[in-house]
Amino acid sequence: MSTETDTKVHAEVRENFGKGFARRLRAAGKIPAVIYGHGTDPLHVALPGHQMALLIRRANVVLELDVNGKEQLTLVKDVQKDPVHQIIEHIDLLVVRKGEKVQVDVPITVSGEPAPGTIAAQDANTVLLEVEATHIPERIELDVEGLEEGTHITAADLTLPKGASLAVDPETLIIAISVPSSTLAAEDEIAAADAEVAAEQAEESEGAKEAESE
C-alpha cells in the first residue's frame, strides 16, 4: 500500500498528448507529468493519482521513479490543480542527482506565543534555501515564545539544518512582533478620556477655589 512516506513511484511513459488524453488519464486514476533537466529531452509520463496526492502534501518531495525499469530521482517542482475542484491536472518533475544542491522554497512553521498583548506578524511563509536534493528539510521551525514588541526576525536568524544555506537576502524579514493597532487605538482612547476627565476635574477645582474666595 502506498503511503505519504513511500517515495518509490512507478511511472508509465506516455506517447499520447493533448487535453482529451489527459482527461482520460485522470479518469483512470492517473496524473500526466513531465520529467526534464540535466540536458535531457523532456519525458512525458503518467503517475499513480492516489499515491501522488499523498506525496505532494509535503513540500519539495523527491521521488524515486521507476521509468521502464530504470531508477530516476526527481524533485516535484510544480503542481497544477483545477482552481475550483483542486484536482491535480499536471506535475512537473526536475531530474536531480544524489549530492547535487538545489534551490527550494522551504515552509516556515511558527510555534509559541509572543509577549502578552503582542502579535507575531509573519511576513514570509517560506525561505529560499540551497540544499542537497536528497536532504531537503520539510520545514524550518521558528519559536516566538515570549518575544517582545519591536522584535524582528530575519532570514539570518533562522536555524538551518546541516548542509543548508540561505539563497535569499539574510535581511529578509520573516516575523515582526508588534502590538495590534486596535489595542493601540483603545489605549489612545483611554488616554484621551483620562486627559479629558483630568481637565474637567482641574476646571471644577479651579471653580471651587474661585467660589471660596468670593
Side-chain angles (χ1 to χ4, degrees):
M1 180 181 294
S2 298
T3 68
E4 192 174 340
T5 58
D6 180 11
T7 58
K8 294 183 178 181
V9 180
H10 178 69
E12 299 176 13
V13 177
R14 57 189 176 96
E15 304 294 340
N16 299 312
F17 310 99
K19 291 184 178 180
F21 182 74
R23 279 196 297 269
R24 289 194 294 275
L25 266 184
R26 289 191 289 271
K30 298 177 182 179
I31 299 171
V34 62
I35 304 171
Y36 63 93
H38 278 280
T40 61
D41 292 331
L43 180 63
H44 297 271
V45 296
L47 305 175
H50 178 67
Q51 184 181 10
M52 290 306 303
L54 292 175
L55 287 170
I56 64 169
R57 291 177 182 177
R58 294 158 47 197
N60 305 310
V61 64
V62 173
L63 307 177
E64 302 172 67
L65 292 184
D66 176 356
V67 184
N68 289 336
K70 181 181 177 181
E71 183 180 291
Q72 177 69 72
L73 284 180
T74 62
L75 171 67
V76 175
K77 286 297 289 182
D78 189 45
V79 178
Q80 292 101 51
K81 292 184 177 181
D82 180 279
V84 177
H85 303 292
Q86 291 299 298
I87 297 171
I88 303 172
E89 295 187 330
H90 192 271
I91 296 177
D92 291 353
L93 302 171
L94 176 66
V95 174
V96 294
R97 304 279 190 260
K98 288 183 178 179
E100 174 187 7
K101 288 200 169 185
V102 294
Q103 290 190 358
V104 290
D105 283 307
V106 178
I108 299 170
T109 301
V110 179
S111 61
E113 294 292 336
T118 66
I119 58 172
Q122 190 165 354
D123 199 67
N125 295 316
T126 62
V127 61
L128 185 64
L129 300 182
E130 184 169 86
V131 63
E132 282 191 20
T134 52
H135 293 86
I136 300 174
E138 287 189 34
R139 67 185 68 85
I140 299 297
E141 303 282 352
L142 177 56
D143 186 6
V144 299
E145 186 66 35
L147 295 183
E148 300 287 343
E149 177 190 2
T151 301
H152 285 179
I153 297 177
T154 65
D157 299 318
L158 297 174
T159 301
L160 304 181
K162 184 179 179 180
S165 60
L166 290 176
V168 69
D169 185 349
E171 297 303 312
T172 299
L173 180 63
I174 305 298
I175 289 281
I177 308 299
S178 63
V179 175
S181 56
S182 57
T183 301
L184 293 175
E187 290 176 349
D188 289 343
E189 289 179 6
I190 293 172
D194 288 344
E196 185 176 343
V197 170
E200 290 177 354
Q201 289 177 341
E203 186 177 337
E204 290 175 359
S205 177
E206 188 65 28
K209 288 181 181 179
E210 291 178 358
E212 287 178 357
S213 63
E214 289 179 357

